[in-house]
Amino acid sequence: MSEITTPPLPSSEGQGSEAPDTETLAAAPERRKRAGGRGAERHRSGTETSRYRKLVNTIARTEMLSAEALEDIHEASLTVLEEIGMDIILPEARDRMRAAGAEVRPGSERVRFDRGLILEMIASAPSAFTMHARNPARNVDIGGSNLVFAQVASAPFVADREGGRRAGNQADFRKLIKLAQHYEIIHTTGGYPVEPIDIHPSVRHLDCLSDLVTLTDKVFHCYSLGKQRNLDALEIARIGRGVSMEQMESEPSLFTVINSSSPLRLDGPMLQGIIEMSSRGQVVIMTPFTLAGAMAPVTIAGALVQQNAEALAGIAFTQMVRKGAPVMYGGFTSNVDMKTGAPAFGTPEYMKAVIAGGQLARRYRIPYRTSNTNAANTLDAQAAYESAMSLWALTQGGGNFVLHSAGWTEGGLTASFEKFILDVDMLQMVAEFLTPLDVSPDALALDAVRDVGPGGHYFGTAHTLARYETAFYSPILSDWRNFETWTDAGRPTTYDHANRIFKEALAAYQQPALDPAIEEELKEFVTRRKSEGGVATDF
Amino acid sequence: MSEITTPPLPSSEGQGSEAPDTETLAAAPERRKRAGGRGAERHRSGTETSRYRKLVNTIARTEMLSAEALEDIHEASLTVLEEIGMDIILPEARDRMRAAGAEVRPGSERVRFDRGLILEMIASAPSAFTMHARNPARNVDIGGSNLVFAQVASAPFVADREGGRRAGNQADFRKLIKLAQHYEIIHTTGGYPVEPIDIHPSVRHLDCLSDLVTLTDKVFHCYSLGKQRNLDALEIARIGRGVSMEQMESEPSLFTVINSSSPLRLDGPMLQGIIEMSSRGQVVIMTPFTLAGAMAPVTIAGALVQQNAEALAGIAFTQMVRKGAPVMYGGFTSNVDMKTGAPAFGTPEYMKAVIAGGQLARRYRIPYRTSNTNAANTLDAQAAYESAMSLWALTQGGGNFVLHSAGWTEGGLTASFEKFILDVDMLQMVAEFLTPLDVSPDALALDAVRDVGPGGHYFGTAHTLARYETAFYSPILSDWRNFETWTDAGRPTTYDHANRIFKEALAAYQQPALDPAIEEELKEFVTRRKSEGGVATDF
C-alpha cells in the first residue's frame, strides 16, 4: 500500500538559476518541451519523486468574477484606502509612508492612501522571482504558472495518534521539518510547523532557524517579531547559503508572512518585518486575515474588498521601503460558522474567495499565496474533503505559493503528523493531475487496440507490459484491496495508514549534506547570540 | 451540527417545461438574471433546499486536451470503428446497422462503421432534452450547462455501521430510495441503489419500479435486461405520469444505462435495450466501461480512444433506431492498480479522463454523463478525497448527469448509507460553489467597512445581523466545534455524524402524494404482471 521513497542526495552542481523575469516565464512551455515533450514526465519511475520539484500549473484559471466585478472590487478597496485608510502602528512606517506621499496626520495612527499612490507603488513589485535555498536544486520559482507547496506553519499544538494532541515542543518541531525535507512535493518549510514552547522565546528563533538550515536544505521562513529576530534570521540564512549579504540581497533566500490585524490595521512588528525584509530584498507574503462575518464583512465580496485593501497597502509599503522588493499577494479569506463564530475552512465560500483572490493577484501581476485548509479535529472524512476542496480552489484559481500545504488541521491550531501524510498524498495527486496528458501516437495505442480486438483484455499485452510499472500514480494511502482482504488485514482506515507511514518516513529521513565550515560558522553564530541572551523578553 | 430539512410537498402547478432546444439553452444566463439577478440565490434561507433543484454550472470548462489532441483522439476512435469494428451480439441490431450502411459480413458478429456513417448518425442526437418526472417540479434538464445528480446504482452490497456490509435486500433498497427522495440535491434515482436479492429476479423489476413510482416522485432508470423488462418499465413510468404512451414518446421519462462489454463489444440485452428505449424516445446513457490497463489500453489517451469508439458506436445505433432519440455520452474511464488489477477511482488519471471525456462529448454536442467515484472500504479520509477529486473533475469538466452521485463506495460494490450523507453534503458544497458570487454594491459592503473602521469587528453590525442566518452554507457533517467541546462530545468523526443523520433523514422522510387512481392502476398492473409470472428466468 505504502511507498516510501528516499530523496536523492542534494546536488552541488550549478549555482541556481537567476530569478526569472517576465520574458523567461513566457517561454516556460518551450522549456518544458525541451525537457522531454508532452507527457514525458509520465514515464519516469514511480519511486523517483524529483519530478515533483518544479510544478507548473498548465490548466486555464477558473474565474468567479466578471471583468466588471473584478474592477468593482478593485475600485472599492482603493476607496477604502483613500477614504478610511489603515491604522499603522509604527512611527517609522508612518514616516516612510508620508515621505512616499500618503496622508498622515500628526497625533494619529491613521494613514490614508491616494489610489494613484497605491497603483504607482505596487507597479514596481516583481511578477516573478526565485527563492534561493542553500541547495540550489531546491530553489523555488515564484509567480507565473509555478506552483510551490510549503509545509504547515505556526500551529501551537501538535498531534499524532499515540501521543494525542499536545503543546508543541522541539522534538516534534524537528520531526516535522524532517518530514518536510523527506518529501519532494514539499518545496519549502513554512515557518515553525509547530511552536516549540520548551525553548525559551529569547533564543527559540536561534535554535529553530539553525535546525532549518541543518535538518533541511530547502528555503525557509522567518517570523517578523521584532527587528533583531529578522536580523538573526537573515544572518543564519546567509551563513547557510555561504554567500555574502550583498549576494543575498539580489537572491531572496528568506520569506516572512505579514498578517494585517484585520480590519485595516498593521501592527508594529509586522511593519518592522516589512522594513527589515524588503529593505534587504527578502520576500514578504502580505496576508490579511479576513474572516467574513468576524474581522471582515459577512459577504464574501465585502471580505474580498477588505482583503484587497489591506493586501495592497502592505504591498505598496514593501515598495516604499525598496522598489522591486519581492512580495506575494496573500489570500486567506474564509467564513465563520455564524452559529458559534468558529472559523470555517475549505467551505464553498472559501473556494470562491480563493479563486476571486487569484483574479485580483493576477490583475496586479503579483504572485499569489494561498493555503490548504480545514477545520477538522481528527483525520476523518471532513479533514479530507475540506482540504480537497481547498486544493481544488487554489489549483483552479492559480495559487503560486501554498502555505500550510501539509499537516495543517483544526483551523491551524494543530500540526498533525497523520494529516501531513494525507496532504502529501493529495498534493502528489494534484501534481499528477497537472502533468499533461500524453497523446503521442504511441499513447493513443491504436496498435494495442488492434492486437487485443473485441472481447479481449489488456493485462498481458506488450503495450501494457512496457508501461505498467509507471503508468499510474501509486498513492501513499489509498487502500484498494478488496473488502475481504482489507477485513483480514484488520480494516485499517486512512488514519491507520498515515500513522504507520509518517513513522516509516521519519526512519527513512536522511540529513542533507552541509559543508563543515558552514556548520561551524552557524554553530558559532548561534552560540554567540545565545551568550548575548538572544532577544530580550519580559518573561 | 446537523440540519435535516423537509422537502416542500410536490407541486401540482404547471405541466413541466418543454425540452429546451439550443436556443433556450443559450438564453440561460438571461433567465437566471430574471430570476433574481446575480447572487440572488445566496440570500435564500439555508433550510430551503429547493434552490438545489436546478443547478447550472456557470464556470468555464477546464480542458486537458489541445484542439489538436482532441482531433487525434476523435480520428483514432473513428479508425478503430472503421478498421477493427465492434462485435455486435444481436442479429436484429446487426440487421439494423447493415440497413443503415455499416459493413456486416454474413456469419460474423463483427460490424465495421465507416467514419462518415458514424458522424452522420450522431449528428441527429439532441444536444439537450428534458427528462420528465411524475412530479413536473422534479423534471430535469439534460445538456448545456445543466448539472443533474443521480443516486448510487447497482451495488450488490449495502452497508451501514450497525448492520455492516451485507447483500442487498428490499428493506435497504426502500430506505435508500427514500433518502434520494428526501434530499433535493439528489435530482433522480439511478437504478436500484442496491440489488434486492430477496425479491425473485422474475418479478424484482416490478416491485422495484413500483417502489420508485410510489416512494419517490423523481425520474428513474430501468435496466436493460431483455425486452420484456424494458416494456414493463415503460408501462410503469407511463402509469406513474398519468399520460399516454404517445405523450411519453415525446417526453422522455425513463433512462437506461447501456454499458459496452469493453473492449469493443455490445451484448444482446444492451442492444435490445437501445432498440426498446430509443424507438420510444426514452433516454439511453451509452457508457463504455474502459478501465485503462484491463479492458482498455494502459495509457489514458488509449483508453479514451477506445471509450470514444464504443460510445460513438452506441450513440450512432440509437440514431439508427430513431433519429433524434435522446442519448448521453457516458465517460467511465479510470485506471486499475497495476500491482493487483483492482479498479481505482478518483485518481489523477480518472480526473484527466473525466475532463478529456467532457471535451469529447462537447465536440459532439451530446450531454455528458460522469460519476462520483471512490474505492474506499469504509467512510474514512480516502472515501472523501477520492470522491472530492471526482467531483472536482466532473464539475470543471462539465458533466451534465452524474450517476452514482451519492452512496457509491468500494468501487461500486457497496451502497453505503453513511457515504450517501457524506456525498449529499459534498454535492451541496459543489452547488454552493457554483452559485455566482454576489457583487452588488450592498455585498461590496463599503458602508459596513466605514462603520466598523480599523481595529473593530463585524459580529454585531447591522450588515452582519441582516445576513448572518443565510450568509454561508451550513454543512450537514462538518464538525467545527473547538477541540475541547468536541472532546467532551466523545470525539465524533464524520462517520459518526453521517450514521446519525441518515437515520434522522429516514425518520423525516415524507412519501410524496400520488393520485389514488394512478396508485390503483399501478397496483393492478404489477399484480397482473406478477400473476403472469413476471419475466421467465431459468432459476
Side-chain angles (χ1 to χ4, degrees):
Chain A
M1 278 307 108
S2 75
E3 176 185 303
I4 299 298
T5 59
T6 307
L9 286 174
S11 154
S12 60
E13 85 266 5
Q15 289 304 311
S17 61
E18 293 299 310
D21 55 18
T22 309
E23 190 183 2
T24 60
L25 274 175
E30 180 57 27
R31 285 211 310 273
R32 285 203 309 281
K33 201 169 173 183
R34 284 202 305 271
R38 192 180 187 99
E41 295 288 308
R42 298 291 303 123
H43 300 297
R44 292 196 189 167
S45 161
T47 56
E48 188 207 328
T49 61
S50 65
R51 63 171 156 171
Y52 297 131
R53 276 197 191 166
K54 303 274 182 194
L55 294 187
V56 178
N57 186 344
T58 51
I59 60 177
R61 304 294 175 257
T62 294
E63 305 196 332
M64 292 299 300
L65 301 171
S66 67
E68 188 191 348
L70 184 64
E71 287 314 292
D72 287 348
I73 290 178
H74 165 72
E75 291 295 342
S77 48
L78 291 178
T79 299
V80 166
L81 292 177
E82 207 164 67
E83 292 183 13
I84 307 168
M86 286 186 65
D87 281 355
I88 301 296
I89 320 294
L90 185 76
E92 181 187 352
R94 290 198 297 275
D95 291 346
R96 286 174 180 262
M97 290 172 179
R98 180 169 41 215
E103 181 197 320
V104 184
R105 294 174 198 167
S108 167
E109 291 172 329
R110 186 67 56 91
V111 177
R112 290 178 179 81
F113 305 86
D114 182 85
R115 58 213 314 124
L117 173 64
I118 292 287
L119 295 176
E120 182 197 333
M121 287 295 134
I122 66 170
S124 59
S127 59
F129 50 87
T130 295
M131 293 205 290
H132 294 257
R134 73 167 173 89
N135 174 0
R138 296 236 160 78
N139 290 355
V140 289
D141 294 335
I142 303 294
S145 297
N146 295 296
L147 178 54
V148 171
F149 294 126
Q151 189 182 27
V152 54
S154 311
F157 301 102
V158 65
D160 59 12
R161 180 175 263 176
E162 288 82 5
R165 179 182 184 262
R166 55 197 182 269
N169 59 47
Q170 188 175 37
D172 285 322
F173 169 91
R174 286 179 168 165
K175 282 183 193 169
L176 284 163
I177 64 173
K178 285 178 179 177
L179 287 178
Q181 175 68 15
H182 182 74
Y183 287 99
E184 292 282 352
I185 193 75
I186 306 299
H187 301 106
T188 78
T189 48
Y192 309 162
V194 71
E195 194 74 29
I197 62 164
D198 53 348
I199 314 176
H200 194 274
S202 59
V203 297
R204 189 180 296 163
H205 67 292
L206 297 170
D207 280 338
C208 288
L209 293 165
S210 170
D211 281 347
L212 285 163
V213 170
T214 53
L215 300 181
T216 89
D217 61 2
K218 300 182 178 180
V219 170
F220 56 95
H221 164 276
C222 79
Y223 289 96
S224 287
L225 294 168
K227 178 171 180 165
Q228 188 56 50
R229 285 193 182 82
N230 287 121
L231 295 180
D232 287 341
L234 281 154
E235 181 61 8
I236 288 173
R238 189 200 62 73
I239 293 171
R241 287 198 55 212
V243 298
S244 66
M245 197 54 86
E246 290 64 39
Q247 186 173 343
M248 235 182 73
E249 289 200 13
S250 65
E251 294 177 355
S253 307
L254 198 58
F255 64 97
T256 194
V257 171
I258 300 296
N259 291 125
S260 41
S261 299
S262 305
L264 298 174
R265 218 169 83 142
L266 267 165
D267 286 341
M270 297 284 108
L271 291 155
Q272 194 72 51
I274 293 177
I275 293 170
E276 303 309 325
M277 294 285 281
S278 293
S279 67
R280 293 174 181 85
Q282 304 305 302
V283 178
V284 165
I285 302 180
M286 181 60 222
T287 311
F289 189 41
T290 36
L291 286 179
M295 297 90 94
V298 73
T299 50
I300 292 299
L304 286 168
V305 166
Q306 191 183 305
Q307 168 189 295
N308 200 52
E310 296 176 10
L312 291 186
I315 292 165
F317 185 53
T318 64
Q319 304 304 304
M320 294 174 189
V321 172
R322 175 166 165 167
K323 279 220 179 309
V327 60
M328 295 187 218
Y329 181 113
F332 205 78
T333 295
S334 193
N335 56 303
V336 296
D337 177 7
M338 292 310 292
K339 294 194 208 82
T340 63
F345 291 103
T347 61
E349 292 78 19
Y350 181 79
M351 295 177 73
K352 290 182 189 186
V354 167
I355 288 174
Q359 290 183 256
L360 288 161
R362 285 194 298 284
R363 187 196 183 289
Y364 307 122
R365 299 171 46 83
I366 296 173
Y368 182 39
R369 170 254 156 124
T370 59
S371 308
N372 176 14
T373 63
N374 73 96
N377 284 305
T378 185
L379 197 84
D380 59 359
Q382 179 188 342
Y385 68 71
E386 289 179 344
S387 277
M389 300 278 181
S390 301
L391 293 173
W392 172 352
L394 69 89
T395 303
Q396 296 285 154
N400 294 117
F401 184 85
V402 186
L403 196 60
H404 311 307
S405 280
W408 205 79
T409 191
E410 209 192 305
L413 288 177
T414 297
S416 157
F417 283 96
E418 288 92 356
K419 180 64 162 52
F420 180 90
I421 301 297
L422 172 61
D423 287 331
V424 162
D425 210 9
M426 289 200 289
L427 296 176
Q428 292 189 163
M429 288 183 214
V430 169
E432 296 285 337
F433 169 60
L434 294 175
T435 307
L437 195 61
D438 181 0
V439 287
S440 63
D442 202 42
L444 290 177
L446 262 181
D447 286 340
V449 177
R450 281 193 188 96
D451 289 348
V452 171
H457 66 78
Y458 290 78
F459 278 115
T461 66
H463 189 262
T464 301
L465 290 176
R467 290 166 182 78
Y468 79 99
E469 283 184 322
T470 58
F472 310 126
Y473 174 63
S474 186
I476 299 175
L477 290 172
S478 298
D479 195 329
W480 290 337
R481 290 175 291 187
N482 67 38
F483 188 84
E484 292 71 22
T485 311
W486 174 75
T487 298
D488 290 346
R491 303 195 177 189
T493 66
T494 317
Y495 195 4
D496 297 316
H497 290 305
N499 177 265
R500 174 175 46 81
I501 289 164
F502 92 75
K503 289 174 273 191
E504 291 175 3
L506 280 174
Y509 163 81
Q510 294 194 318
Q511 187 165 334
L514 180 62
D515 182 331
I518 288 179
E519 199 168 359
E520 190 54 34
E521 186 181 359
L522 180 64
K523 204 171 285 179
E524 276 171 22
F525 175 77
V526 169
T527 304
R528 174 172 68 78
R529 289 286 301 113
K530 281 188 174 179
S531 74
E532 292 165 3
V535 176
T537 59
D538 54 4
F539 54 97
Chain B
M1 277 309 107
S2 74
E3 176 186 302
I4 299 298
T5 60
T6 306
L9 287 174
S11 154
S12 58
E13 85 264 5
Q15 291 301 312
S17 60
E18 294 298 311
D21 55 19
T22 308
E23 190 182 1
T24 59
L25 274 174
E30 180 58 26
R31 283 210 311 273
R32 285 202 309 281
K33 201 170 175 184
R34 283 202 305 272
R38 191 177 189 103
E41 296 287 308
R42 297 291 305 123
H43 300 298
R44 292 197 189 166
S45 161
T47 56
E48 188 208 329
T49 61
S50 65
R51 63 172 157 171
Y52 296 132
R53 276 198 193 163
K54 302 275 181 193
L55 295 187
V56 178
N57 187 345
T58 52
I59 60 177
R61 304 293 176 258
T62 295
E63 304 196 333
M64 293 300 300
L65 300 172
S66 67
E68 188 191 348
L70 184 64
E71 287 313 292
D72 287 347
I73 290 178
H74 164 73
E75 291 296 341
S77 48
L78 292 178
T79 299
V80 167
L81 292 176
E82 208 165 66
E83 292 184 14
I84 306 168
M86 287 185 66
D87 281 354
I88 301 297
I89 320 295
L90 185 75
E92 181 187 352
R94 290 197 297 274
D95 291 346
R96 286 175 181 262
M97 289 172 178
R98 180 169 43 215
E103 181 196 320
V104 185
R105 294 175 197 165
S108 168
E109 291 170 330
R110 187 67 56 89
V111 177
R112 291 178 178 80
F113 304 86
D114 182 84
R115 58 214 311 126
L117 173 64
I118 293 287
L119 295 176
E120 183 197 331
M121 288 294 134
I122 66 171
S124 59
S127 60
F129 51 87
T130 295
M131 295 205 289
H132 294 258
R134 73 167 173 88
N135 174 0
R138 297 236 160 78
N139 290 354
V140 290
D141 293 334
I142 303 293
S145 296
N146 295 297
L147 179 53
V148 171
F149 293 127
Q151 188 181 28
V152 53
S154 313
F157 301 102
V158 65
D160 59 12
R161 180 175 265 176
E162 289 82 3
R165 179 182 184 263
R166 56 197 182 267
N169 59 47
Q170 189 176 36
D172 286 322
F173 169 91
R174 286 178 167 165
K175 283 183 192 168
L176 284 162
I177 64 172
K178 285 177 179 178
L179 288 177
Q181 175 68 14
H182 182 74
Y183 287 100
E184 291 282 352
I185 194 73
I186 306 299
H187 302 106
T188 78
T189 48
Y192 308 162
V194 70
E195 193 75 28
I197 62 164
D198 53 348
I199 314 175
H200 194 274
S202 60
V203 297
R204 188 180 296 163
H205 67 292
L206 298 169
D207 280 338
C208 288
L209 293 166
S210 171
D211 281 348
L212 286 163
V213 170
T214 53
L215 300 180
T216 90
D217 60 2
K218 299 181 178 180
V219 169
F220 56 95
H221 163 277
C222 78
Y223 289 95
S224 288
L225 294 168
K227 176 171 180 166
Q228 188 55 50
R229 286 192 181 84
N230 286 121
L231 295 180
D232 287 341
L234 282 155
E235 181 60 10
I236 288 172
R238 188 199 65 72
I239 293 170
R241 288 197 56 212
V243 298
S244 67
M245 197 55 84
E246 290 65 38
Q247 187 174 342
M248 235 181 74
E249 288 202 13
S250 66
E251 293 177 356
S253 307
L254 198 59
F255 65 96
T256 193
V257 172
I258 299 295
N259 291 125
S260 41
S261 299
S262 304
L264 298 176
R265 216 168 85 140
L266 269 165
D267 285 341
M270 297 284 107
L271 291 155
Q272 193 74 50
I274 293 178
I275 293 170
E276 303 310 325
M277 294 285 281
S278 293
S279 66
R280 292 173 182 85
Q282 303 306 301
V283 178
V284 165
I285 303 181
M286 181 61 223
T287 311
F289 189 41
T290 36
L291 287 179
M295 297 90 93
V298 74
T299 50
I300 293 299
L304 285 168
V305 166
Q306 191 184 306
Q307 168 189 296
N308 200 52
E310 297 177 11
L312 291 186
I315 292 165
F317 185 52
T318 65
Q319 304 304 304
M320 294 175 189
V321 171
R322 176 167 164 168
K323 279 221 177 309
V327 59
M328 295 187 217
Y329 180 112
F332 205 78
T333 295
S334 191
N335 57 302
V336 297
D337 176 7
M338 293 310 293
K339 294 193 207 84
T340 63
F345 291 103
T347 61
E349 293 78 18
Y350 181 79
M351 295 177 74
K352 290 182 188 185
V354 167
I355 288 175
Q359 291 184 256
L360 288 161
R362 287 194 296 285
R363 188 197 183 289
Y364 307 122
R365 299 171 47 80
I366 295 173
Y368 182 38
R369 170 255 155 124
T370 59
S371 309
N372 176 13
T373 62
N374 73 96
N377 284 305
T378 185
L379 198 84
D380 59 359
Q382 180 188 343
Y385 68 70
E386 289 179 344
S387 277
M389 300 279 181
S390 301
L391 293 173
W392 172 351
L394 70 89
T395 302
Q396 297 283 155
N400 295 116
F401 185 86
V402 186
L403 196 60
H404 311 307
S405 279
W408 205 78
T409 191
E410 209 192 306
L413 288 177
T414 297
S416 157
F417 283 97
E418 288 92 357
K419 180 64 162 51
F420 180 91
I421 301 298
L422 172 63
D423 286 330
V424 162
D425 211 9
M426 289 199 289
L427 296 177
Q428 293 189 163
M429 288 182 212
V430 169
E432 296 285 336
F433 169 61
L434 294 176
T435 307
L437 196 61
D438 181 2
V439 287
S440 63
D442 201 43
L444 290 177
L446 263 181
D447 286 341
V449 177
R450 280 192 189 95
D451 289 350
V452 171
H457 67 77
Y458 289 79
F459 278 116
T461 66
H463 188 262
T464 300
L465 290 176
R467 291 167 182 77
Y468 79 98
E469 283 185 323
T470 58
F472 309 126
Y473 173 64
S474 186
I476 299 175
L477 290 172
S478 297
D479 195 329
W480 290 337
R481 291 176 290 188
N482 67 37
F483 188 83
E484 292 71 22
T485 312
W486 174 75
T487 297
D488 290 346
R491 303 195 176 189
T493 66
T494 317
Y495 195 4
D496 298 316
H497 290 306
N499 177 266
R500 174 174 46 80
I501 290 164
F502 92 76
K503 289 175 271 190
E504 292 175 3
L506 280 174
Y509 163 81
Q510 295 193 318
Q511 187 165 333
L514 181 61
D515 183 330
I518 288 180
E519 199 168 359
E520 188 55 34
E521 187 181 356
L522 180 63
K523 203 171 288 178
E524 274 172 25
F525 176 77
V526 169
T527 304
R528 175 172 67 75
R529 288 287 299 114
K530 281 188 173 181
S531 73
E532 293 166 2
V535 176
T537 58
D538 53 4
F539 54 96

